């Protein structure tokens, strides 16, 4: 499940965090490592969590692809819905000057735009989490994994997570 509000703030929803802490579920989010979220995690009782990161270059390509596919899905909807979704995309990712004709750009130009407007945000997101992870308060409570490891060696990827949570499981 998702445990955040989404949007630019992307804050943890306390009720969903409480459900997660009870156990029996997995949550996914793109939470920023800000003071509000870290305090919510701490005081909400989440003792450990896994942070899965992706090579920012691959994240950029994936984002560009998904954004284009999402827009194509909107093409058959009424114009007012498409406009609302355009505004959502532009504000969701924090673009002050998201070009109205972005979806008419060639793939190369879309990627160039994302490099100029998205790439550094992705790097700063990772840097913020690495800074939190280094702190004494969080260093043993966050396991950082990489999406590329999941793809390359799924067995070892999940074994590492089970070990982090001290889950003893015989896996063939």
């Amino acid at each position: 499940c998702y445990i955040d509000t989404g949007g630019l703030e992307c804050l943890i929803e306390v009720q969903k965090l409480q459900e997660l802490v009870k156990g029996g579920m997995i949550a996914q989010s793109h939470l920023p490592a800000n003071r509000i979220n870290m305090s919510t995690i701490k005081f909400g009782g989440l003792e450990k969590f896994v942070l899965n990161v992706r090579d920012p270059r691959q994240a950029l390509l994936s984002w560009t692809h998904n954004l284009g596919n999402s827009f194509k899905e909107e093409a058959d909807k009424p114009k007012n819905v498409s406009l609302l979704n355009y505004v959502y995309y532009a504000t969701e990712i924090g673009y002050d000057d998201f070009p109205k004709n972005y979806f008419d750009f060639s793939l190369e130009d879309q990627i160039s735009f994302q490099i100029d407007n998205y790439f550094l945000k992705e790097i700063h997101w990772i840097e913020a989490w690495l800074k939190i992870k280094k702190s004494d308060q969080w260093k043993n409570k966050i396991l950082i994994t990489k999406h590329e490891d999941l793809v390359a060696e799924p067995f070892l990827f999940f074994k590492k997570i089970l070990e982090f949570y001290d889950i003893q499981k015989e896996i063939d």
Side-chain angles (χ1 to χ4, degrees):
C1 83
Y2 288 95
I3 63 166
D4 63 70
T5 58
L8 290 176
E9 283 105 24
C10 200
L11 300 174
I12 295 174
E13 292 186 28
V14 174
Q15 182 179 4
K16 289 184 179 180
L17 178 64
Q18 290 170 338
E19 292 173 21
L20 177 65
V21 169
K22 288 178 187 175
M25 65 185 278
I26 295 173
Q28 184 273 337
S29 179
H30 293 100
L31 289 174
N34 60 37
R35 290 175 53 181
I36 295 171
N37 284 334
M38 299 316 295
S39 293
T40 304
I41 290 169
K42 178 182 176 184
F43 295 112
L46 187 62
E47 296 178 17
K48 289 181 164 185
F49 63 93
V50 176
L51 173 69
N52 192 47
V53 298
R54 189 171 190 182
D55 180 324
R57 297 166 298 181
Q58 289 298 320
L60 180 141
L61 292 175
S62 177
W63 169 248
T64 302
H65 173 77
N66 288 327
L67 188 60
N69 283 345
S70 296
F71 186 76
K72 286 176 192 169
E73 291 173 9
E74 301 300 318
D76 294 331
K77 294 184 178 178
K79 290 294 182 205
N80 61 336
V81 174
S82 292
L83 177 60
L84 286 175
N85 285 326
Y86 165 81
V87 171
Y88 169 79
Y89 295 136
T91 57
E92 172 77 11
I93 52 185
Y95 295 149
D96 295 327
D97 58 351
F98 191 77
K100 194 157 188 158
N101 64 337
Y102 171 85
F103 297 103
D104 296 327
F105 288 5
S106 69
L107 179 59
E108 181 179 324
D109 289 341
Q110 287 181 8
I111 291 171
S112 292
F113 176 84
Q114 297 298 347
I115 289 170
D116 293 341
N117 293 278
Y118 173 84
F119 193 65
L120 282 178
K121 291 177 186 185
E122 193 70 17
I123 291 171
H124 293 311
W125 185 89
I126 293 171
E127 287 174 337
W129 277 110
L130 291 175
K131 183 178 177 183
I132 293 289
K133 167 75 171 145
K134 287 180 184 176
S135 71
D136 288 338
Q137 180 180 6
W138 295 101
K139 66 181 170 188
N140 296 320
K141 297 179 179 186
I142 303 172
L143 172 66
I144 297 179
T145 59
K146 296 185 300 184
H147 179 76
E148 294 77 16
D149 293 341
L150 169 62
V151 173
E153 294 284 346
F155 179 83
L156 294 176
F157 179 86
F158 286 107
K159 183 176 187 262
K160 186 176 179 181
I161 293 172
L162 292 173
E163 289 171 356
F164 174 70
Y165 284 108
D166 297 319
I167 297 173
Q168 303 301 317
K169 185 83 172 165
E170 290 295 322
I171 303 173
D172 295 325

